[in-house]
Amino acid sequence: MKESSGAATQRRGSEVQLSNLHRRFPMGEEIVRAVNGVSLKVDSGECVALVGSSGSGKSTLLHLIGGLDIRDEGSIVVDGQELGALSAAKLAKYRANTVGFIFQSFHLLPHRTAQENVELPMTVAGLPRAERKARAEEILKEVGLGSRLKHRPAQMSGGERQRVAIARALGNRPSLLVADEPTGNLDSVNGDRVMDLLFQLTKERGVTLIYATHDMQLAAKADRMIRMKDGSMVDGEKS
Ligand code: ADP
Ligand code: MG
């Protein structure tokens, strides 16, 4: 296959269909209904913002969509594939190849350089070293960090760290990007920059983006906003 640069050869974005999704956590005598009957369809290439107060179930929902957690009831169908029906190995493959996940607190390995952090998921996916290196460099340049390849996380600002995390999430050319309060640890200027970058990179590639945020201005930039309350969607689907 011809090696690519840029968006032209990217897959189209994932289509995500959630049906009556439930995730419950036993807490002592009680059961926390973190996700309580969510149904939602996200189109290929769509950009959806999840809003709602702390504890409303945003992270739990994103973890389920990203294959980091397993639902108790209902279904999550991504590109026609029901995640709950996948073996552990297939789910790991889904996490490695289909989804990119971006966390509020970056989750970078502290003793690795920016480039090594970006290469890591590509190593897991079995890419040859030369291609990993080239791809990591290319994406880090794309996120504006061409001069930070050898920096470690502690030597970078919060905004730069999150841009490394974005580059890492895109390394395996996912068709779905899931971001859990990606600007939560950033000041508003850097937060805006990071979101603009995320919007730009996902739109260019046709990648589906689902992100949680507390910031209504950032949420308003999505194609659609979904509000969560007590584990359920309160606004329903708008288009
Ligand atoms: P948000 O991201 O909107 O703040 P979360 O999805 O983190 O909400 O949490 C939803 C609810 O589920 C909260 O009441 C939280 O305390 C609870 N919860 C989340 N994860 C767990 C867990 N692993 N064990 C027990 N309760 C949890
Ligand atoms: Mg959360």
Side-chain angles (χ1 to χ4, degrees), residues 3-10 118 122 134-149 160 162-164 166-171 173 193-194 196-207:
E3 183 37 27
S4 61
S5 72
T9 57
Q10 290 287 336
V118 174
M122 300 187 227
R135 247 196 227 187
E137 266 189 54
E138 181 186 312
I139 310 177
L140 280 165
K141 282 184 189 148
E142 223 181 326
V143 300
L145 295 177
S147 62
R148 297 286 185 276
L149 302 178
E160 288 174 334
Q162 196 57 306
R163 284 187 276 150
V164 173
I166 291 171
R168 177 183 58 187
L170 289 170
R173 301 184 176 153
R193 272 193 205 146
V194 156
D196 286 343
L197 186 66
L198 261 182
F199 294 138
Q200 180 205 325
L201 295 171
T202 50
K203 287 293 176 203
E204 276 172 10
R205 290 164 165 76
V207 167

Side-chain angles (χ1 to χ4, degrees), residues 8 14 30 32 46 54 57 75 110 123 139 154 156 182 189 216 227 234:
S14 289
E30 284 183 37
V32 180
E46 198 182 5
S54 184
S75 70
T123 310
I139 310 177
M156 289 184 279
V189 173
M216 291 311 286
R227 184 179 299 276
V234 287

